[in-house]
Amino acid sequence: MIPAQQVVELALAAATVDETIVIVTDRAEASLRWAGNSMTTNGVSTTRSTTVISIVRTGNTSHTGAIRTSDVNPGAIAGVVAAAERAAHAAPEARDSTALLTGGGIPDDWNHPVPETGAEVFADVAESLAGGFGGSDRLYGYAHHVVETTFLATSTGIRRRFTQPTGTVEINAKRDGASAWAGVSTPWFTDVPTDTLLDDLAMRLGWAKRTVELPAGRYETLMPPSTVADMMIYLGWSMDGRGAEEGRTALSAPGGGTRVGEKLTDLPLTMYSDPFAPGLQCAPFVAAASSSETVSMFDNGMDIGRVDWIRDGTINALAYPRAAAAEFGTVTAVPADNLLMTGGSAELADMVAATERGLLLTTLWYIRTVDPTTLLLTGLTRDGVYLIEDGEVTGAVNNFRFNESPLDLLRRATEAGLAEPTLPREWGDWATRAVMPTLRIPDFHMSSVSQAQ
């Protein structure tokens, strides 16, 4: 397999249309599984994906074609380029057409070796788990590490490279019919608090010795960071400017326009993405194999900076690629691959102690859209909903189906805790880089009792 940098140059050299974009991603992946207090499987793999985007300009219109392949044979490159060019000639006009950015030379790290990963990255996690296997709780789970290095090049001179490490650890503990889940994200597995996770799971299973059946209804609820992340990430994915401008989303204002400038909460909450956020670093430039409402392939290579989507409780920005920003007369804003919310100060333990009667909701599952115009979501609780009475957790309760909108949660939240790095359970396969607070919701809507265990 030839180096990715050579693939880029071979593809550009084979191009015959007006402009060409090439994205090559080398992916190294390692995984470790355990079940019933013993290690079961592990594996390591390496793959490559190559995307060629061809652009045909006809007067004031542009037509694009994109072909992706996992073939690593250098002899296949010319065929991929030819297929992308045929697709471009046959494509309708691209709505997000704009001029490609021009380059500034080869970056210093362009020709550096591509980092890899392997089973050895899990050594510390495995050692801590081995200690946990000797206890009475049954442990199940999965550790996963992916290191992706992306090379982006355009026929207009752009050359950009970024290596993205992404790791997760998820542990499910079971005891006497009760179950609890905990998870963390980590870039390089040098900071996984496995022992702390096991202690926390043991504490929750201890709470579950007492069970209480509750009916559906609205309950004062503490949402720790993982559950807040699952709801707010969905909000982040929904903050596209075009959809709001065209009246299709929950960010559309009544009578036209968007909700930018609308006050959601008096809590000083700020939700933002930032490719340089410590511990959550991600690609600081656009590398898009296709266009969407929030990102455009014509913006490939463009710098991504911090964007405050919500600032001090007020909707502050929506996502606009360059073409959409020009169309609607606003500033370009592109999301980075992380999401953070800050503005709270309380410790979770203090929030529990201040609760007379309510629920501690530890994980969410199977979240789906009910109404995109209000961003109403439905989903299930799983592996741990606990009853708080007089400032103490006194037992576990049954699972529920819930109906809530992340926008409405922010409108109704009465307290926010300290922001902490967290792993969303539902979206952890796609959105691992998150920092969120605990939120107190006075009337979280548990719409029906779930039979899920």
Side-chain angles (χ1 to χ4, degrees):
M1 188 168 72
I2 65 174
Q5 300 91 328
Q6 291 185 31
V7 174
V8 165
E9 302 306 333
L10 287 172
L12 290 177
T16 63
V17 295
D18 296 296
E19 292 154 332
T20 302
I21 303 167
V22 184
I23 303 171
V24 181
T25 299
D26 281 351
R27 176 185 176 103
E29 185 172 4
S31 61
L32 178 68
R33 293 182 182 272
W34 55 94
N37 287 14
S38 64
M39 297 296 177
T40 56
T41 60
N42 66 77
V44 177
S45 65
T46 58
T47 56
R48 169 178 290 169
S49 68
T50 300
T51 300
V52 176
I53 302 169
S54 298
I55 302 174
V56 175
R57 307 277 186 178
T58 305
N60 294 324
T61 68
S62 300
H63 307 265
T64 65
I67 298 294
R68 180 182 181 275
T69 182
S70 58
D71 195 334
V72 297
N73 179 4
I77 297 173
V80 174
V81 174
E85 294 184 350
R86 289 194 299 271
H89 282 292
E93 178 182 351
R95 182 173 63 174
D96 57 332
S97 174
T98 191
L100 293 188
L101 299 171
T102 56
I106 303 295
D108 292 340
D109 64 347
W110 181 257
N111 290 311
H112 289 182
V114 172
E116 298 181 348
T117 189
E120 65 279 0
V121 76
F122 305 125
D124 290 342
V125 172
E127 182 178 353
S128 293
L129 284 170
F133 290 164
S136 59
D137 296 340
R138 309 299 288 174
L139 302 179
Y140 301 79
Y142 183 56
H144 189 216
H145 195 222
V146 176
V147 180
E148 288 188 328
T149 300
T150 296
F151 296 84
L152 168 68
T154 72
S155 56
T156 56
I158 292 287
R159 297 293 186 277
R160 306 208 70 167
R161 168 185 169 155
F162 186 77
T163 294
Q164 181 68 75
T166 302
T168 58
V169 178
E170 300 186 52
I171 306 174
N172 191 281
K174 300 181 183 297
R175 182 197 305 168
D176 299 330
S179 181
W181 175 92
V184 295
S185 63
T186 176
W188 289 107
F189 282 82
T190 59
D191 56 350
V192 179
T194 310
D195 292 337
T196 300
L197 293 178
L198 294 176
D199 289 343
D200 185 51
L201 290 169
M203 178 178 65
R204 296 188 207 173
L205 293 176
W207 291 340
K209 288 180 180 179
R210 175 182 181 240
T211 59
V212 180
E213 296 294 322
L214 293 179
R218 291 187 176 271
Y219 292 91
E220 182 170 350
T221 299
L222 297 182
M223 298 180 65
S226 176
T227 59
V228 174
D230 269 324
M231 297 298 284
M232 294 306 140
I233 284 168
Y234 209 100
L235 173 58
W237 287 341
S238 304
M239 297 189 76
D240 58 283
R242 177 178 293 279
E245 299 274 5
E246 294 176 352
R248 297 184 280 109
T249 77
L251 280 303
S252 302
T258 75
R259 292 186 182 274
V260 169
E262 180 179 311
K263 187 79 168 177
L264 293 175
T265 176
D266 290 331
L267 297 175
L269 295 174
T270 294
M271 187 177 83
Y272 64 98
S273 58
D274 181 359
F276 303 102
L280 282 78
Q281 292 91 342
C282 53
F285 58 86
V286 174
S290 61
S291 295
S292 69
E293 298 278 33
T294 59
V295 68
S296 169
M297 63 175 65
F298 288 91
D299 291 346
N300 270 308
M302 183 181 73
D303 287 337
I304 298 174
R306 170 171 169 158
V307 180
D308 289 358
W309 307 103
I310 297 171
R311 181 182 293 163
D312 292 330
T314 298
I315 299 173
N316 181 68
L318 297 175
Y320 293 89
R322 284 187 299 150
E327 178 181 348
F328 294 107
T330 188
V331 296
T332 299
V334 177
D337 192 22
N338 59 24
L339 193 66
L340 303 89
M341 180 180 284
T342 58
S345 60
E347 298 279 358
L348 176 57
D350 294 331
M351 296 175 73
V352 170
T355 303
E356 182 177 347
R357 193 173 194 272
L359 300 179
L360 176 62
L361 177 62
T362 59
T363 68
L364 301 179
W365 185 253
Y366 205 71
I367 300 172
R368 298 295 183 268
T369 304
V370 176
D371 182 359
T373 63
T374 61
L375 206 59
L376 180 65
L377 307 178
T378 190
L380 300 173
T381 69
R382 187 179 184 186
D383 293 326
V385 187
Y386 302 99
L387 180 63
I388 305 170
E389 296 177 296
D390 298 324
E392 294 184 358
V393 178
T394 60
V397 306
N398 47 276
N399 281 306
F400 297 94
R401 175 170 292 280
F402 68 87
N403 286 310
E404 282 290 0
S405 163
L407 284 169
D408 284 340
L409 291 177
L410 293 177
R411 291 183 179 111
R412 290 162 24 228
T414 56
E415 185 180 14
L418 288 169
E420 301 175 11
T422 191
L423 178 68
R425 186 175 190 183
E426 171 72 347
W427 308 123
D429 288 342
W430 302 277
T432 63
R433 286 169 282 277
V435 166
M436 291 285 152
T438 297
L439 291 180
R440 183 187 297 276
I441 309 300
D443 54 353
F444 192 92
H445 188 201
M446 300 298 187
S447 56
S448 63
V449 172
S450 169
Q451 299 305 312
Q453 299 295 316

